[in-house]
Amino acid sequence: MKGIVFCISGPSGVGKGTIVKELMRIDPELALSVSCTTRAPRPGEQHGREYFFISQEEFRKKLEGGEFLEYDEHFGNFYGTLKDHVARLADAKKLVILEIDVVGALKAKEYYGTSRKVVNIFIKPPSLEALEERLQKRGSESEQQLRIRRERVKFEYGQADLFDYVVLNDEVARATWEIYDIIQKEKSKQ
Ligand code: 5GP
């Protein structure tokens, strides 16, 4: 059986990180892909666990060396998925999870084409208003930063139709089990 790549995606602030953590806890068969980022680690984050934290210079070198299957910029920081890393996980563990933004998920699917099965799952907030409210509550951003974020969220929200599955994040446990079921269904189709 060839490995399957599952992209867990959705607008920023939708709670995909929490859902992915839960998924990893309930299904030991899943392997989480660790991306590279140029952003600084947050308290408690570890190099090689949440991300490979690298410098802008290192990121540029990897980019020029063609090491990323996709990459994107978020608010001045770069994020990229390593081709070799995903290939190694997919060959060994078969079911690979990418927690990735909306554009990245679409790019990953395009990158693999027919060479590997990629299942794109879009996590949807109960409403666009609820998501905007959450962003506003973070409170750490200037009005201009908030405006940029809102525009991006609106754009990301509008991409749901391009995904294989749309899962409503009305409740973390319920949404997690729905995704778990999708993974089992896709696995049994292989
Ligand atoms: P954070 O800095 O909060 O960890 O992540 C910011 C955003 O970057 C999130 O939407 C996250 O899903 C996305 N992200 C994380 N890794 C990657 C990656 O490798 N590629 C892309 N395109 N987005 C990523």
Side-chain angles (χ1 to χ4, degrees), residues 13-25:
V14 76
K16 49 190 185 286
T18 315
I19 290 178
V20 166
K21 268 202 199 93
E22 269 303 286
L23 263 182
M24 301 313 294
R25 201 177 58 78

Side-chain angles (χ1 to χ4, degrees), residues 13-43:
V14 76
K16 49 190 185 286
T18 315
I19 290 178
V20 166
K21 268 202 199 93
E22 269 303 286
L23 263 182
M24 301 313 294
R25 201 177 58 78
I26 61 181
D27 190 349
E29 209 189 343
L30 305 178
L32 182 63
S33 163
V34 179
S35 297
C36 290
T37 183
T38 61
R39 85 151 160 75
R42 296 186 186 124

Side-chain angles (χ1 to χ4, degrees), residues 148-163:
I148 296 170
R149 228 179 235 281
R150 235 182 259 136
E151 283 308 309
R152 183 164 182 135
V153 163
K154 240 184 239 160
F155 162 76
E156 291 173 327
Y157 195 78
Q159 304 298 299
D161 287 353
L162 301 173
F163 281 65

Side-chain angles (χ1 to χ4, degrees), residues 16 35 39 42 51 70-72 74 79-81 99-101 104:
K16 49 190 185 286
S35 297
R39 85 151 160 75
R42 296 186 186 124
Y51 286 104
E70 66 75 41
Y71 79 99
D72 207 353
H74 292 274
Y79 296 77
T81 311
E99 186 212 318
I100 195 172
D101 75 328

